[in-house]
Amino acid sequence: MNSPHNRTFGRWCKRYISLSLLITVGIIVYILFFSDNSVSETYMYDRQIDSLNMAIRQAGDSLDYYRGLEERLNTDPSAMEQVVRENYHMQRPDEDVYVVE
């Protein structure tokens, strides 16, 4: 029943694996996979940070567009007329407006 291989494996385990090594490996495995700072949590947080940074860039682009539009509206009366006619479908008395959706 006890083959020579099992006896040598048992001796090897007693010689090279100590309780402190098992505890250290256990703590490392716990930190890597089960704690709040686990690898999967870190990956999830990195993806969330990337998506939030993309949303910030998009909001910044929209902000730049609307600031430029505000500047044009404050300085150029024809820009005001263009915005009003396009967005609110207003027309002059002598023209027809066709709205295509």
Side-chain angles (χ1 to χ4, degrees), residues 40-72:
S40 62
E41 292 283 328
T42 303
Y43 179 72
M44 182 187 66
Y45 291 145
D46 285 342
R47 289 189 52 107
Q48 188 175 11
I49 287 170
D50 291 340
S51 68
L52 291 173
N53 283 334
M54 185 183 314
I56 289 171
R57 281 193 300 273
Q58 289 173 349
D61 292 344
S62 297
L63 181 65
D64 291 340
Y65 169 76
Y66 286 113
R67 281 186 179 160
L69 180 63
E70 179 187 20
E71 183 65 31
R72 280 195 342 247

